[in-house]
Amino acid sequence: MTRRILWRLANLVPLLFVISLLVFFISKAGPADPIKGALSEKMSPEQIEQIRQAYGLDQPAWKQYLHWLRDMFTNGGGISLSVRSPVSGIVFPAFLNTLILGAATTVVAVALGVLIGFVSGIRHGRLIDRAAMLLVQIGSNLPIYWFGLIVIWLTAVQWNWLPPGGMHDLRGDGGFGDLLLHLIAPAVAASLVSMLIIARFVRAAVIESAGSDYIRTYRSQGFGRAAILGKHIGRNILPPIVNTTGLTIGSVITGVVFVETIFSWPGLGSVLLNAIAGSDYPVIQSGILLVATTFVVVNLITDVLLDLLNPRLRHGGA
């Protein structure tokens, strides 16, 4: 198994290289001129050309890529075209906020998804199963943006339980409790799609495991219901939960980016939207590369966890 993990780590390098190529050249494919968009229209063409040369935008695309790649490792991603400050100082704090919201979203999605799927699976064919699957079907067709607005309307306007947006209360102490209070609503809104996907997979895994021959054998031998559900069925659905959670990270990231705008969360989604509006290529490239790298690393961790949960690989050592 160690060799499998090392092989995946080795494959990570060329994969990230290809991703960096795609991020750089796709971001450059737009028709907008970043220099003209960032500078005053009163500047002469000669002055604009001098600034373009200073940023290296007059060079061939492959040279610009190499310079950008160098800046990613030595200069914090270069200098933003719109705010004239290091990209790292703009992107990384926002990315940390996005990771906080993404982690909370993942916890909510897994907790509610496993709960709904497990209860629905052990009550397969009954009223609670049908009601849960109806809610899953309806929820799967709800736009995250609209669902986020509904969450704000209910929790902040109608019931006055939670703050309508932001990351901290400006009048509060800014502590962990305040952060947690601001996390609940956006995490619930962003977890919708992932939660429903996990619920479906868990339900299917529970139904399949509960109907297997060895579970019938345990029941015939007098094992208690709690022991069968917790020790045997629960252990068998753990790999599908890990696998599905890893596969839904893309949905989590997408949901978080939309939700950040709705809830005024100071994350990477808001930074990228402003950068796209201003054609700020260094910020766009660094932000998208961070998101893509996170997605790849999370999937790598998921594969490693699945290997660790596989007894044949865990004891075989290959």
Side-chain angles (χ1 to χ4, degrees):
M1 186 176 68
T2 304
R3 288 200 300 268
R4 291 171 61 91
I5 295 175
L6 292 176
W7 176 248
R8 287 195 175 100
L9 288 173
N11 288 334
L12 195 63
V13 176
L15 179 59
L16 291 177
F17 173 70
V18 172
I19 289 175
S20 68
L21 281 173
L22 292 174
V23 168
F24 181 82
F25 287 103
I26 290 177
S27 65
K28 300 286 284 187
D33 187 334
I35 298 298
K36 290 183 178 179
L39 298 179
S40 171
E41 296 181 356
K42 296 180 180 179
M43 299 187 72
S44 66
E46 292 78 12
Q47 291 174 314
I48 293 177
E49 185 59 30
Q50 289 177 356
I51 297 176
R52 183 178 282 108
Q53 291 175 5
Y55 277 94
L57 297 179
D58 61 323
Q59 299 179 356
W62 64 271
K63 281 190 177 182
Q64 293 184 41
Y65 169 75
L66 292 178
H67 291 162
W68 171 70
L69 207 60
R70 180 200 61 195
D71 288 340
M72 289 297 297
F73 292 99
T74 62
N75 196 25
I79 303 298
S80 167
L81 298 177
S82 57
V83 297
R84 312 291 200 281
S85 62
V87 171
S88 58
I90 301 171
V91 171
F92 285 115
F95 182 63
L96 179 60
N97 294 339
T98 295
L99 286 182
I100 293 173
L101 181 54
T105 299
T106 303
V107 171
V108 172
V110 173
L112 295 181
V114 171
L115 177 63
I116 295 172
F118 194 85
V119 172
S120 183
I122 62 178
R123 299 290 182 179
H124 176 52
R126 301 184 184 181
L127 179 61
I128 190 171
D129 176 38
R130 295 175 182 175
M133 287 301 99
L134 177 61
L135 291 177
V136 168
Q137 186 65 33
I138 294 174
S140 300
N141 294 284
L142 294 180
I144 293 180
Y145 194 91
W146 180 85
F147 183 66
L149 293 176
I150 293 298
V151 171
I152 293 176
W153 179 71
L154 288 175
T155 61
V157 179
Q158 292 296 317
W159 300 332
N160 198 26
W161 288 353
L162 300 171
M167 191 173 178
H168 294 287
D169 190 347
L170 297 178
R171 297 169 296 179
D173 58 358
F176 178 75
D178 186 33
L179 173 63
L180 188 62
L181 196 64
H182 284 77
L183 264 175
I184 296 175
V188 170
S191 69
L192 177 65
V193 175
S194 300
M195 175 184 65
L196 300 180
I197 294 174
I198 292 173
R200 285 178 172 174
F201 275 89
V202 170
R203 175 180 179 271
V206 169
I207 293 173
E208 180 181 359
S209 182
S212 59
D213 292 337
Y214 74 92
I215 293 295
R216 295 192 186 98
T217 302
Y218 287 139
R219 287 173 177 163
S220 65
Q221 292 176 351
F223 281 82
R225 178 180 176 86
I228 292 175
L229 291 177
K231 184 177 180 180
H232 301 289
I233 295 181
R235 181 184 299 173
N236 287 336
I237 67 173
L238 189 56
I241 291 174
V242 173
N243 189 28
T244 308
T245 302
L247 293 175
T248 58
I249 290 299
S251 300
V252 169
I253 294 175
T254 304
V256 165
V257 169
F258 277 106
V259 163
E260 284 178 355
T261 305
I262 305 170
F263 288 87
S264 301
W265 188 268
L268 192 58
S270 303
V271 170
L272 285 176
L273 285 176
N274 292 331
I276 291 172
S279 300
D280 196 340
Y281 288 161
V283 174
I284 296 171
Q285 292 159 353
S286 299
I288 295 177
L289 184 61
L290 270 177
V291 172
T293 302
T294 303
F295 182 78
V296 171
V297 171
V298 168
N299 277 278
L300 173 65
I301 295 174
T302 301
D303 290 340
V304 172
L305 289 176
L306 289 174
D307 286 348
L308 293 174
L309 292 172
N310 190 331
R312 290 175 296 181
L313 294 175
R314 188 171 63 245
H315 300 301

